[in-house]
Amino acid sequence: MNISPHFTWAEVTASRVAAARTINNALPDYLRPEAEAQAALMERIRAALGAPIIVSSWFRCGALNWAVRRPNAGPGIDNSGDHPKAAATDFTAPGFGAPLGICRLLAPRVDELGIGQLIYEGTWVHVSKNVPFKDINRVITLLPGGAGYAPGIVEV
Ligand SMILES: [Zn+2]
């Protein structure tokens, strides 16, 4: 079933990590409007890129978010960030090009497209409809080796 013209509800909850660890990543009903608003953002991004989007992570329940962020720890709960709110999507768009090029296209257009936060994460792009508390965190690059984030989109 589709959440929007080019995205499905299955894409909102699909997760390889959840499947591997038998975590139930079902979306709670109260987050459906959040997921729908995020899907509307993803439609605008798809149109801007002119290419299909491959979703790698969208909604993450607290147990899944913990497992993704701390793959070597035991079970736990982490409700921080925008994925547990269904308000963030990690994606690639191979038909358009590499994640760096996607970020360079989107960064100057965050206001126009309604992107709250854009993160270049190297092998994928993270976008959230939610604007971070600090403006400097709106467009950032995840640095390799646990070095944190750099402002803007920089080649890593
Ligand atoms: Zn993400």
Side-chain angles (χ1 to χ4, degrees):
M1 199 169 71
N2 277 34
I3 182 173
S4 68
H6 299 98
F7 297 93
T8 66
W9 285 102
E11 287 178 294
V12 175
T13 53
S15 164
R16 267 185 301 171
V17 175
R21 301 200 182 197
T22 56
I23 293 169
N24 177 6
N25 194 45
L27 184 75
D29 282 347
Y30 75 93
L31 286 176
R32 290 172 73 91
E34 292 290 296
E36 285 168 346
Q38 180 70 16
L41 169 60
M42 295 310 297
E43 291 287 349
R44 295 193 295 276
I45 289 172
R46 187 187 192 279
L49 296 174
I53 280 172
I54 297 172
V55 175
S56 53
S57 187
W58 191 324
F59 171 66
R60 300 202 291 250
C61 68
L64 175 59
N65 202 43
W66 175 280
V68 167
R69 290 182 157 190
R70 296 168 195 78
N72 300 316
I77 299 288
D78 178 355
N79 283 310
S80 66
D82 291 312
H83 285 287
K85 302 181 182 94
T89 308
D90 296 335
F91 71 94
T92 57
F96 174 85
L100 179 61
I102 295 171
C103 289
R104 283 182 169 154
L105 179 97
L106 296 178
R109 299 179 65 183
V110 289
D111 286 326
E112 173 202 342
L113 295 170
I115 296 172
Q117 187 180 39
L118 171 67
I119 309 178
Y120 171 44
E121 303 219 22
T123 51
W124 69 86
V125 180
H126 166 112
V127 290
S128 171
K129 68 182 185 61
N130 294 346
V131 179
F133 182 66
K134 291 183 180 169
D135 196 57
I136 192 155
N137 293 328
R138 189 147 182 217
V139 178
I140 54 177
T141 296
L142 176 67
L143 299 172
Y149 294 90
I153 302 301
V154 296
E155 204 164 350
V156 289

